[in-house]
Amino acid sequence: QAYTRFWEGCTSTQRMRANWFQACSSLISFCKSSKAREEDKWEFQHCAIRLFSMLHALALMEIEDNQEGEQLALDYPLIDVDSIDEVSLCTLKETHCKVELVFQWLQQLAMENIEKQVISAPPPIISRAFQELTNGMIQFHDALRISTTPFPFPYAQSCDWILLLHAFVAPIVMCQWVSIPWLACIFTFLQVFMLWCLNYIAVELQNPFGNDANDLDGVGMQREMNNQLLLLLLPSTRRTPQLDVEAIHRKLSPEGGRHSTQIHRASSFNSVWSSIAAKSQNSDLADPSSLDPEVLDPEPA
């Protein structure tokens, strides 16, 4: 049961992050065909990624299991949270439902920008982004259930008392089976030791949201979420890949035509990237303007 709880907690947090990133990615992509002002689109996109970064960090804070009472997730890195207005930040500080508040802010932000036509997409497609946002909240509450609901106290105490009883009874029973004293001691120790090890492993794994070495890396998860959100704002990300028609025509042989096997030959990322790097290096060497002026015309000694 402890192993099952551990993997359910891991699965819920990963799905939560995936759902929220998918929702943010969809909302930002809906701005691509919008006819609204660039300033409005820019403001919506930057506000959205900041709120999603805050949402993820606050969710990790809620499911955090810290027996010392400190909420370490409040020190997790965020995407430029200083840019959010002070009134909203003070409201967020005072409320006890921080995740739900930011969740509501995101829905309101999306609806306001739908009205402004910053988000431009058919309603059934836009509803998919809201669905992903809601699915992330469902996964959050699944993880919260594991974090806040411990093993039943009678169940845990019964296991401890049974282990203690076994530790007292095992030497007596082993003496009846083994006539050599030192061999009986070894067998008794192995039985008791293995059962207590399994018990402590279960205690360690039952809640993966603490700050121990075997728990989930909350800081790493938050940084990865921030990097994924920042990726959505890069100009290279907003650029849609295009097909290099000239490269395809160069591969077409006169005999094979469009069915030439050269088009369908396998290639890897490393081979393609190495070829691009070689072409870029050759073009830099062939272009004198790309070289250092001091190398082309060194000063006399």
Side-chain angles (χ1 to χ4, degrees), residues 75-87:
D75 294 325
Y76 287 175
L78 300 173
I79 298 178
D80 193 24
V81 70
D82 299 337
S83 300
I84 304 298
D85 63 283
E86 294 183 0
V87 176

Side-chain angles (χ1 to χ4, degrees), residues 95-110:
T95 185
H96 296 287
C97 304
K98 293 180 172 57
V99 177
E100 289 76 8
L101 177 60
V102 178
F103 176 78
Q104 181 63 21
W105 284 348
L106 280 167
Q107 294 190 104
Q108 292 176 180
L109 178 68

Side-chain angles (χ1 to χ4, degrees), residues 58-59 61-62 71 89-102 140-141 144:
L58 292 173
M61 182 204 69
E62 289 289 340
Q71 295 176 326
L89 293 177
C90 292
T91 303
L92 185 62
K93 179 181 178 181
E94 297 299 328
T95 185
H96 296 287
C97 304
K98 293 180 172 57
V99 177
E100 289 76 8
L101 177 60
V102 178
F140 160 69
H141 283 286
L144 189 64

Side-chain angles (χ1 to χ4, degrees), residues 129-143:
F130 287 95
Q131 184 65 40
E132 292 292 342
L133 192 61
T134 304
N135 290 339
M137 283 295 291
I138 294 175
Q139 298 299 329
F140 160 69
H141 283 286
D142 285 342

Side-chain angles (χ1 to χ4, degrees), residues 7-79:
W7 281 113
E8 284 182 357
C10 297
T11 303
S12 297
T13 52
Q14 293 293 335
R15 288 180 176 175
M16 175 187 72
R17 186 178 64 180
N19 289 137
W20 285 341
F21 174 77
Q22 175 64 28
C24 184
S25 176
S26 298
L27 291 174
I28 290 180
S29 65
F30 294 157
C31 300
K32 189 174 181 64
S33 59
S34 174
K35 305 300 182 181
R37 297 187 308 166
E38 292 296 329
E39 293 81 3
D40 293 339
K41 292 192 291 184
W42 182 90
E43 182 179 354
F44 165 71
Q45 292 172 356
H46 280 259
C47 186
I49 66 163
R50 284 161 175 78
L51 290 179
F52 272 103
S53 178
M54 293 166 54
L55 179 66
H56 186 261
L58 292 173
L60 295 179
M61 182 204 69
E62 289 289 340
I63 63 178
E64 184 180 89
D65 179 32
N66 193 348
Q67 298 179 355
E68 298 179 358
E70 299 179 359
Q71 295 176 326
L72 300 180
L74 292 178
D75 294 325
Y76 287 175
L78 300 173
I79 298 178

Side-chain angles (χ1 to χ4, degrees), residues 256-274:
R258 294 186 178 273
H259 300 285
S260 174
T261 58
Q262 190 175 5
I263 298 179
H264 305 287
R265 65 181 181 180
S267 59
S268 63
F269 282 118
N270 284 331
S271 63
V272 173
W273 288 335
S274 299

